[in-house]
Amino acid sequence: MVEATPEEAAVDATAGGVTLERLQAPVSIGGLRLPNRAILAPLAGVTDIPFRRLCNDMGAGYAFVEMLSATAIRYRARRTLEMMRRHDKEARLGVQLTGGSAGEIAEAIAFLDTQGFDSIDINMGCPVRKIVRKGWGSALLLNPAGVREIVERAREATRLPLSVKIRVGYDADCINVAETAACIAEAGAVMLTIHGRTRNERYGAPVRYDCIAEGFRQARKAARPPVCVGNGNVLDRPSALQMLRETHCDAVMISRGVLGNPWIFRELLGTRPHNPTLQEWLEGVLQHLAYHREHYGDNRMAAVVARKHLIWYMRGFRGSRAMREKLSVVESLDDARDLFRRFASEHPPDAVRFEAEQAPAHDEDPSAAMDREHDRPLADDHEPDR
Ligand SMILES: Cc1cc2nc3c(=O)[nH]c(=O)nc-3n(C[C@H](O)[C@H](O)[C@H](O)COP(=O)(O)O)c2cc1C
């Protein structure tokens, strides 16, 4: 177990009177030291290299490759190997996977162990129909003894820090976060993220802070307690503070709060106020476009992949419908860059992005897109490379 530094110990000592400064303190997961406690979630279809680089620039303490399938790893599926790429400028990077049996997960982890990641996370929270039907993702929560076995076998398969991300339970009849969290901690995970909703609540329901807190309480009884990470509706300073205060988490994981708002890391880490200025916003968007071009080139496909981000960047601006319509059909990154420059030049430098202090909650629900993704025919994704 890595000893807490004096700085970390000082933060722990203030747990009663929680402030957001807590997020600025470094934290160690296993042997891996994170510079702060604001973590970018693995987000399918979102956390590719360009977006991770942008979030790192904004201060993210850690980032993950989106969830990969253990089966696709077994077959060394081309698309999955592509998703595992890491940019030289990414100082720290975790990877997440899901699978069904302890053996299959351990096998995938043994491979991931050799691929240059800093840690490995097991997803036990994904609600997507195609995943759950296979007994993966949040379906694993139905069997806490199975969860323990998965984590134990996974620990044996890697020397990297191992973490797990769960929900508070499968449905209202199975809110078993206390038992699951205890199993995961006792089995040796060094970080535990709890998303405060059940599988059936998907993304829209209020966050069950009390259940997250109970999960962390049980996990901390283990001989080597994991770093406890709260997840769900961390959208801005007040919601991050609420997560810290109500769950006593050590860190927060940001998911929908980052869509169109990578500046959230600056906000939570206290380096900038809630809203970026128009100039900061433009610089961020143009930087994302530059990273995107470096990774994907400038072509129609690259523009199509970027579109959702570009439309999210317009959230909060009054009268942005015309701009969103143009971005939804934009055919090149150059065209997108010109549209953003023009938009910024037509607005006063003190134009406010979100009129209200608080950014509205994102209603993004990736289930349908992820269902489609996991419904790919074998030939497209799961075919071994020849
Ligand atoms: C677009 C999108 C993609 C997601 N992909 C993943 C994923 O690959 N792995 C994962 O553990 N969670 C994934 N999630 C779930 C989030 O990490 C998070 O647990 C959930 O959205 C709740 O947090 P929020 O209310 O702050 O969004 C995804 C969520 C969204 C919106």
mmCIF file of all heavy atoms in Angstrom, residues 42-43 64-69 73 94-98 112 119-124 164-165:
data_model
loop_
_atom_site.group_PDB
_atom_site.id
_atom_site.type_symbol
_atom_site.label_atom_id
_atom_site.label_comp_id
_atom_site.label_asym_id
_atom_site.label_seq_id
_atom_site.Cartn_x
_atom_site.Cartn_y
_atom_site.Cartn_z
ATOM 1 N N PRO A 42 -14.489 6.767 -18.505
ATOM 2 C CA PRO A 42 -14.489 6.143 -19.824
ATOM 3 C C PRO A 42 -15.858 6.407 -20.450
ATOM 4 O O PRO A 42 -16.876 6.140 -19.813
ATOM 5 C CB PRO A 42 -14.308 4.648 -19.522
ATOM 6 C CG PRO A 42 -14.500 4.462 -18.059
ATOM 7 C CD PRO A 42 -14.583 5.803 -17.394
ATOM 8 N N LEU A 43 -15.884 6.946 -21.654
ATOM 9 C CA LEU A 43 -17.159 7.283 -22.299
ATOM 10 C C LEU A 43 -17.132 6.752 -23.727
ATOM 11 O O LEU A 43 -16.336 7.227 -24.566
ATOM 12 C CB LEU A 43 -17.369 8.801 -22.323
ATOM 13 C CG LEU A 43 -17.536 9.485 -20.958
ATOM 14 C CD1 LEU A 43 -17.466 10.993 -21.099
ATOM 15 C CD2 LEU A 43 -18.849 9.071 -20.300
ATOM 16 N N PHE A 64 -9.482 7.527 -19.173
ATOM 17 C CA PHE A 64 -9.572 6.122 -19.580
ATOM 18 C C PHE A 64 -9.922 6.006 -21.055
ATOM 19 O O PHE A 64 -10.677 6.827 -21.592
ATOM 20 C CB PHE A 64 -10.713 5.420 -18.824
ATOM 21 C CG PHE A 64 -10.430 5.170 -17.383
ATOM 22 C CD1 PHE A 64 -10.764 6.119 -16.425
ATOM 23 C CD2 PHE A 64 -9.838 3.988 -16.976
ATOM 24 C CE1 PHE A 64 -10.516 5.878 -15.093
ATOM 25 C CE2 PHE A 64 -9.587 3.743 -15.643
ATOM 26 C CZ PHE A 64 -9.929 4.689 -14.691
ATOM 27 N N VAL A 65 -9.458 4.920 -21.637
ATOM 28 C CA VAL A 65 -9.989 4.484 -22.922
ATOM 29 C C VAL A 65 -11.391 3.949 -22.644
ATOM 30 O O VAL A 65 -11.638 3.368 -21.599
ATOM 31 C CB VAL A 65 -9.105 3.347 -23.494
ATOM 32 C CG1 VAL A 65 -9.737 2.720 -24.721
ATOM 33 C CG2 VAL A 65 -7.714 3.858 -23.801
ATOM 34 N N GLU A 66 -12.306 4.148 -23.550
ATOM 35 C CA GLU A 66 -13.672 3.674 -23.342
ATOM 36 C C GLU A 66 -13.720 2.146 -23.193
ATOM 37 O O GLU A 66 -12.746 1.442 -23.506
ATOM 38 C CB GLU A 66 -14.560 4.080 -24.514
ATOM 39 C CG GLU A 66 -14.206 3.369 -25.800
ATOM 40 C CD GLU A 66 -15.091 3.830 -26.963
ATOM 41 O OE1 GLU A 66 -14.812 4.891 -27.526
ATOM 42 O OE2 GLU A 66 -16.038 3.110 -27.271
ATOM 43 N N MET A 67 -14.860 1.661 -22.732
ATOM 44 C CA MET A 67 -15.030 0.238 -22.444
ATOM 45 C C MET A 67 -14.751 -0.657 -23.663
ATOM 46 O O MET A 67 -15.304 -0.451 -24.737
ATOM 47 C CB MET A 67 -16.467 0.011 -21.980
ATOM 48 C CG MET A 67 -16.753 -1.378 -21.511
ATOM 49 S SD MET A 67 -18.466 -1.505 -20.988
ATOM 50 C CE MET A 67 -19.298 -1.680 -22.565
ATOM 51 N N LEU A 68 -13.887 -1.639 -23.455
ATOM 52 C CA LEU A 68 -13.578 -2.608 -24.517
ATOM 53 C C LEU A 68 -14.172 -3.957 -24.139
ATOM 54 O O LEU A 68 -14.362 -4.250 -22.957
ATOM 55 C CB LEU A 68 -12.059 -2.754 -24.657
ATOM 56 C CG LEU A 68 -11.259 -1.466 -24.869
ATOM 57 C CD1 LEU A 68 -9.765 -1.788 -24.934
ATOM 58 C CD2 LEU A 68 -11.706 -0.758 -26.140
ATOM 59 N N SER A 69 -14.427 -4.774 -25.146
ATOM 60 C CA SER A 69 -15.028 -6.082 -24.887
ATOM 61 C C SER A 69 -13.941 -7.152 -24.767
ATOM 62 O O SER A 69 -13.002 -7.200 -25.570
ATOM 63 C CB SER A 69 -16.002 -6.397 -26.032
ATOM 64 O OG SER A 69 -15.798 -7.704 -26.523
ATOM 65 N N ILE A 73 -11.091 -8.412 -27.417
ATOM 66 C CA ILE A 73 -9.655 -8.467 -27.085
ATOM 67 C C ILE A 73 -9.112 -9.854 -27.388
ATOM 68 O O ILE A 73 -8.034 -10.002 -27.954
ATOM 69 C CB ILE A 73 -9.434 -8.078 -25.603
ATOM 70 C CG1 ILE A 73 -9.722 -6.585 -25.425
ATOM 71 C CG2 ILE A 73 -8.011 -8.406 -25.155
ATOM 72 C CD1 ILE A 73 -9.720 -6.112 -23.999
ATOM 73 N N GLY A 94 -5.688 4.969 -18.307
ATOM 74 C CA GLY A 94 -6.248 3.685 -17.919
ATOM 75 C C GLY A 94 -7.076 3.108 -19.052
ATOM 76 O O GLY A 94 -7.413 3.805 -20.013
ATOM 77 N N VAL A 95 -7.401 1.830 -18.923
ATOM 78 C CA VAL A 95 -8.246 1.187 -19.930
ATOM 79 C C VAL A 95 -9.356 0.462 -19.180
ATOM 80 O O VAL A 95 -9.162 0.051 -18.036
ATOM 81 C CB VAL A 95 -7.423 0.216 -20.810
ATOM 82 C CG1 VAL A 95 -6.843 -0.934 -19.999
ATOM 83 C CG2 VAL A 95 -8.238 -0.327 -21.980
ATOM 84 N N GLN A 96 -10.516 0.352 -19.826
ATOM 85 C CA GLN A 96 -11.634 -0.327 -19.165
ATOM 86 C C GLN A 96 -12.118 -1.483 -20.032
ATOM 87 O O GLN A 96 -12.154 -1.354 -21.259
ATOM 88 C CB GLN A 96 -12.790 0.657 -18.957
ATOM 89 C CG GLN A 96 -13.897 0.050 -18.111
ATOM 90 C CD GLN A 96 -15.156 0.884 -18.096
ATOM 91 O OE1 GLN A 96 -15.708 1.201 -19.140
ATOM 92 N NE2 GLN A 96 -15.625 1.226 -16.904
ATOM 93 N N LEU A 97 -12.492 -2.570 -19.386
ATOM 94 C CA LEU A 97 -13.059 -3.655 -20.184
ATOM 95 C C LEU A 97 -14.255 -4.265 -19.480
ATOM 96 O O LEU A 97 -14.470 -4.061 -18.272
ATOM 97 C CB LEU A 97 -12.014 -4.737 -20.475
ATOM 98 C CG LEU A 97 -11.917 -5.907 -19.513
ATOM 99 C CD1 LEU A 97 -11.360 -7.111 -20.229
ATOM 100 C CD2 LEU A 97 -11.018 -5.532 -18.369
ATOM 101 N N THR A 98 -15.045 -4.967 -20.269
ATOM 102 C CA THR A 98 -16.108 -5.768 -19.674
ATOM 103 C C THR A 98 -16.096 -7.141 -20.320
ATOM 104 O O THR A 98 -15.582 -7.324 -21.425
ATOM 105 C CB THR A 98 -17.498 -5.113 -19.811
ATOM 106 O OG1 THR A 98 -18.401 -5.831 -18.956
ATOM 107 C CG2 THR A 98 -18.023 -5.137 -21.232
ATOM 108 N N LEU A 112 -4.069 -6.908 -21.786
ATOM 109 C CA LEU A 112 -4.023 -5.453 -21.576
ATOM 110 C C LEU A 112 -2.801 -5.061 -20.745
ATOM 111 O O LEU A 112 -2.224 -3.990 -20.924
ATOM 112 C CB LEU A 112 -5.304 -4.969 -20.875
ATOM 113 C CG LEU A 112 -6.580 -5.037 -21.718
ATOM 114 C CD1 LEU A 112 -7.801 -4.681 -20.870
ATOM 115 C CD2 LEU A 112 -6.490 -4.109 -22.928
ATOM 116 N N SER A 119 -3.320 1.543 -15.676
ATOM 117 C CA SER A 119 -4.212 0.795 -14.787
ATOM 118 C C SER A 119 -5.301 0.153 -15.644
ATOM 119 O O SER A 119 -5.492 0.536 -16.810
ATOM 120 C CB SER A 119 -4.849 1.714 -13.731
ATOM 121 O OG SER A 119 -5.886 2.481 -14.302
ATOM 122 N N ILE A 120 -6.009 -0.791 -15.027
ATOM 123 C CA ILE A 120 -7.088 -1.480 -15.743
ATOM 124 C C ILE A 120 -8.353 -1.429 -14.885
ATOM 125 O O ILE A 120 -8.301 -1.704 -13.676
ATOM 126 C CB ILE A 120 -6.708 -2.953 -16.034
ATOM 127 C CG1 ILE A 120 -5.411 -3.011 -16.861
ATOM 128 C CG2 ILE A 120 -7.848 -3.666 -16.763
ATOM 129 C CD1 ILE A 120 -4.884 -4.412 -17.113
ATOM 130 N N ASP A 121 -9.464 -1.065 -15.522
ATOM 131 C CA ASP A 121 -10.746 -0.975 -14.829
ATOM 132 C C ASP A 121 -11.695 -2.035 -15.403
ATOM 133 O O ASP A 121 -11.731 -2.253 -16.613
ATOM 134 C CB ASP A 121 -11.343 0.428 -15.044
ATOM 135 C CG ASP A 121 -12.589 0.651 -14.195
ATOM 136 O OD1 ASP A 121 -12.418 0.934 -12.991
ATOM 137 O OD2 ASP A 121 -13.702 0.541 -14.725
ATOM 138 N N ILE A 122 -12.464 -2.649 -14.525
ATOM 139 C CA ILE A 122 -13.488 -3.602 -14.995
ATOM 140 C C ILE A 122 -14.848 -2.928 -14.878
ATOM 141 O O ILE A 122 -15.204 -2.407 -13.813
ATOM 142 C CB ILE A 122 -13.480 -4.894 -14.160
ATOM 143 C CG1 ILE A 122 -12.081 -5.510 -14.142
ATOM 144 C CG2 ILE A 122 -14.494 -5.900 -14.728
ATOM 145 C CD1 ILE A 122 -11.975 -6.733 -13.237
ATOM 146 N N ASN A 123 -15.600 -2.943 -15.970
ATOM 147 C CA ASN A 123 -16.925 -2.327 -15.984
ATOM 148 C C ASN A 123 -17.958 -3.323 -15.479
ATOM 149 O O ASN A 123 -18.140 -4.395 -16.053
ATOM 150 C CB ASN A 123 -17.274 -1.873 -17.413
ATOM 151 C CG ASN A 123 -18.657 -1.251 -17.485
ATOM 152 O OD1 ASN A 123 -19.642 -1.847 -17.072
ATOM 153 N ND2 ASN A 123 -18.739 -0.046 -18.009
ATOM 154 N N MET A 124 -18.635 -2.929 -14.407
ATOM 155 C CA MET A 124 -19.750 -3.735 -13.890
ATOM 156 C C MET A 124 -20.973 -2.842 -13.753
ATOM 157 O O MET A 124 -21.755 -2.996 -12.809
ATOM 158 C CB MET A 124 -19.381 -4.343 -12.536
ATOM 159 C CG MET A 124 -18.182 -5.276 -12.608
ATOM 160 S SD MET A 124 -17.989 -6.207 -11.073
ATOM 161 C CE MET A 124 -16.476 -7.108 -11.411
ATOM 162 N N VAL A 164 -12.530 -1.083 -10.281
ATOM 163 C CA VAL A 164 -13.827 -1.584 -10.728
ATOM 164 C C VAL A 164 -14.823 -0.429 -10.694
ATOM 165 O O VAL A 164 -14.779 0.418 -9.799
ATOM 166 C CB VAL A 164 -14.330 -2.734 -9.817
ATOM 167 C CG1 VAL A 164 -15.662 -3.283 -10.340
ATOM 168 C CG2 VAL A 164 -13.307 -3.856 -9.736
ATOM 169 N N LYS A 165 -15.714 -0.389 -11.684
ATOM 170 C CA LYS A 165 -16.774 0.628 -11.704
ATOM 171 C C LYS A 165 -18.115 -0.095 -11.665
ATOM 172 O O LYS A 165 -18.381 -0.950 -12.508
ATOM 173 C CB LYS A 165 -16.642 1.479 -12.975
ATOM 174 C CG LYS A 165 -17.690 2.581 -13.099
ATOM 175 C CD LYS A 165 -17.256 3.596 -14.157
ATOM 176 C CE LYS A 165 -18.281 4.688 -14.383
ATOM 177 N NZ LYS A 165 -19.389 4.292 -15.274
#
